[in-house]
Amino acid sequence: MLPYLSRRLAVLVPTVLGVATVVFLLTHAMPGDPVDIMLGEYAQAADREALSRRLGLDRPVSEQYLSFLSGLARGDLGRSIQGDQPVAELVALHAPATAELALAALLISIAIALPLGLLSAWKAGGAVDRLSLAGSMLGVAVPNFWLGPMLVLLFSIQLGWLPVSGRGGAAHLVLPALTLGTAMAGLLVRMTRSSLLEVMGEDYVRTARAKGLGESMVMLRHVLANALTPLLSVLGLQLGGLLAGAVITETIFAWPGLGRLMVQAIYSRDYPVVQGCVLVIAVTYVLVNLLTDLAYAWANPRVNYGDDDD
């Protein structure tokens, strides 16, 4: 396990460097000039030149890139062009809200997917199975930008049960978490069902039944324990997807997380904030996948992580 962990950590450095380079190039390829946005189109040329020099935007892109990488090596994400605040402080201020939303969406999706997937596999081919699969397909197909407003119209405006937007108590979390977690729940239902059906056909399950074990005991001790292990890798990938999907959901519900901060920064051409938010989300995605692989290896000792595993 330790050699495998060392190799994966060594891959993190070029991965983060590649992500940082792509983020820098794409951010600077965005149309529009932050100086124009800050001063307006009728600003004097001298004022424009002075502000551009102060922000470092008058330097060649290659110099800005090297300065960006140098700052990253020191853990410095730069300063916001609009607010002149350290980007690291802005990220630290908004990251807990995104983590809270992603965790709630993950728990909701698991709470929906596991019972439905188990029931669907247990009653495979029946009416419950068909309804479950149809519901999971609908959950995957419905986009967040449509589902979010529909939930607001129904539960906030028509019924008045839940707040429309913002971050407060648990009531504020329900609709954005449900919006973000529905697609993941649909995917997990299908994955849980197929994994359970595969394990239920194994010889050791038939042997357990032949020994006289009850069906509930067979499911708990022999089927669930083996069928849920492959879902760990799916959960890791989907958690990264939740962070990316939070951009749309946070904008719909005015949730004060990294996604909403990034959208506001894009509108104002605040390059350092955009770069910082995307970098944090991308690095979190990479780290979550690393932890998922390690958890999968720990839970399933049959997995070979020798020299040919990469």
Side-chain angles (χ1 to χ4, degrees), residues 223-256:
V223 176
L224 281 178
N226 292 286
L228 297 184
T229 303
L231 294 179
L232 283 175
S233 56
V234 179
L235 283 174
L237 291 173
Q238 289 302 308
L239 183 57
L242 288 180
L243 295 175
V247 175
I248 297 174
T249 305
E250 289 180 1
T251 303
I252 294 173
F253 292 96
W255 188 262

Side-chain angles (χ1 to χ4, degrees), residues 9 58 171 173 267:
L9 289 177
D58 60 329
L173 192 57
Y267 281 132

Side-chain angles (χ1 to χ4, degrees), residues 24-164:
F24 177 86
L25 294 176
L26 290 180
T27 304
H28 283 71
M30 289 193 306
D33 188 338
V35 174
D36 289 340
I37 295 174
M38 294 174 71
L39 296 181
E41 57 181 317
Y42 300 109
Q44 297 293 325
D47 295 334
R48 292 169 47 82
E49 184 178 349
L51 181 58
S52 182
R53 188 183 310 112
R54 184 171 69 82
L55 298 176
L57 300 176
D58 60 329
R59 295 182 295 168
V61 174
S62 58
E63 288 187 18
Q64 296 183 46
Y65 174 64
L66 292 177
S67 176
F68 170 63
L69 292 184
S70 174
L72 278 185
R74 301 190 305 271
D76 181 9
L77 296 176
R79 301 184 72 86
S80 167
I81 291 176
Q82 294 291 326
D84 197 29
Q85 295 172 271
V87 174
E89 287 186 6
L90 288 172
V91 169
L93 183 65
H94 291 79
T98 297
E100 178 185 340
L101 177 58
L103 182 60
L106 180 67
L107 293 178
I108 284 178
S109 61
I110 291 175
I112 295 173
L114 287 186
L116 280 181
L118 179 60
L119 195 60
S120 183
W122 200 0
K123 304 292 183 184
V128 174
D129 184 28
R130 289 194 291 271
L131 283 174
S132 174
L133 289 179
S136 66
M137 291 179 63
L138 186 64
V140 173
V142 173
N144 289 359
F145 60 80
W146 183 86
L147 179 61
M150 291 301 105
L151 292 177
V152 169
L153 283 175
L154 177 60
F155 292 103
S156 300
I157 297 176
Q158 294 293 330
L159 300 175
W161 290 352
L162 296 167
V164 175

Side-chain angles (χ1 to χ4, degrees), residues 22-31 269-272 274-275 278:
V22 171
V23 169
F24 177 86
L25 294 176
L26 290 180
T27 304
H28 283 71
M30 289 193 306
R269 303 296 186 271
D270 200 336
Y271 297 147
V274 176
Q275 291 169 173
V278 177

